[in-house]
Amino acid sequence: MKYIIIGLGNYGHVLAEELSALGHEVIGADISAGRVDSLKDKVATAFVIDATDGQALSVLPLNSVDVVIVAIGENFGASIRVVALLKQKKVKRIYARAIDGVHRSVLEAFGLERILTPEEDAARGLVHLLEFGADIETFRVDSNYYVVNFTVPEKFIGYNVNELKLDSEFGLKLLALKRAETLKNCLGISFSEHDVVNELPDDDRIQAGDRLVCYGRYRDFQKFWKAL
């Protein structure tokens, strides 16, 4: 896919670098020559432009990419102006970063495809780590429901998945079990990779390193974790 990322601060820089590393075509843009220079060898193209200037913004191939991402966060006014200009130029798919509730509310008025809240997401991730003290990944579906991906605790090892009674006792739906497999790379160095187990025999037992993916209310997952 092709992306334009406007704003190459810490967030935009990492976003551009990671997308490019995955094989996507990334065009970066920032008013800072230093930021552009630090990224130019890692993306397809990078421009030094003031994206709040409509004429300068026209240098970018806005309507020939899949998504335009406005990664500007610190400069509230610049972020809003760039989004307004993109809408004016009829860019179809716009993602924009919001740094607080007010910023998000203003961006919502534009009817964007997606509003990014990396600071909030990082804070929630830290809360989950502090609360559960375990390797847990979450995806928030709404204010109550989450998809939770976690490494099974030691006390689960040896149990049949059905014996955990996730649904009947805790109201959690088991979506998948991911099993770790030890592989070796071309240098002979061992590493672990998790694959989804699509079919579980009735006598299959949970193994060390397995991960469970569940769906349900956050408070029910809290209840389940405390019951451990």
Side-chain angles (χ1 to χ4, degrees):
M1 294 180 70
K2 296 181 180 180
Y3 299 91
I4 290 175
I5 298 177
I6 301 173
L8 302 176
N10 291 335
Y11 177 68
H13 184 107
V14 172
L15 192 62
E17 191 172 358
E18 291 296 319
L19 283 171
S20 185
L22 290 172
H24 300 287
E25 183 177 336
V26 177
I27 299 170
D30 197 283
I31 196 170
S32 166
R35 289 177 175 177
V36 169
D37 190 59
S38 68
L39 192 66
K40 65 181 182 181
D41 294 331
K42 301 175 182 177
V43 298
T45 315
F47 294 88
V48 180
I49 63 169
D50 179 0
T52 63
D53 182 324
Q55 188 171 354
L57 195 60
S58 297
V59 171
L60 303 175
L62 299 172
N63 293 300
S64 62
V65 297
D66 296 290
V67 181
V68 177
I69 303 172
V70 181
I72 301 168
E74 299 77 12
N75 191 329
F76 179 93
S79 167
I80 299 303
R81 180 169 174 79
V82 171
V83 169
L85 288 170
L86 292 174
K87 294 294 288 186
Q88 191 178 72
K89 293 177 183 298
K90 303 187 183 306
V91 176
K92 293 181 179 179
R93 302 187 67 193
I94 305 169
Y95 292 5
R97 174 188 174 196
I99 58 172
D100 57 31
V102 174
H103 195 176
R104 182 186 181 97
S105 295
V106 175
L107 290 173
E108 285 174 345
F110 286 101
L112 304 184
E113 179 153 339
R114 180 163 297 181
I115 296 174
L116 310 169
T117 55
E119 286 82 4
E120 288 183 14
D121 296 341
R124 289 193 186 99
L126 179 58
V127 167
H128 299 149
L129 175 62
L130 295 174
E131 182 172 13
F132 301 114
D135 181 13
I136 293 176
E137 298 175 356
T138 63
F139 173 76
R140 187 182 182 187
V141 179
D142 65 16
S143 58
N144 293 313
Y145 286 87
Y146 283 72
V147 174
V148 184
N149 176 354
F150 62 97
T151 300
V152 295
E154 287 187 14
K155 61 177 63 179
F156 279 17
I157 298 172
Y159 278 90
N160 184 289
V161 173
N162 295 328
E163 292 178 309
L164 301 180
K165 300 180 180 178
L166 296 173
D167 194 354
S168 60
E169 291 192 13
F170 301 101
L172 299 174
K173 301 290 185 183
L174 179 64
L175 301 180
L177 183 147
K178 299 177 73 175
R179 178 147 290 160
E181 181 181 2
T182 301
L183 304 172
K184 288 188 177 182
N185 63 17
C186 60
L187 299 177
I189 300 173
S190 298
F191 66 96
S192 293
E193 187 173 274
H194 283 81
D195 291 319
V196 174
V197 179
N198 292 310
E199 295 184 10
L200 282 172
D202 292 337
D203 59 351
D204 188 83
R205 300 291 175 177
I206 292 176
Q207 301 175 16
D210 283 355
R211 295 184 67 88
L212 299 183
V213 183
C214 301
Y215 167 78
R217 292 183 299 182
Y218 187 73
R219 67 184 184 186
D220 288 334
F221 184 75
Q222 288 176 306
K223 178 182 175 183
F224 160 71
W225 201 259
K226 289 176 181 178
L228 298 179

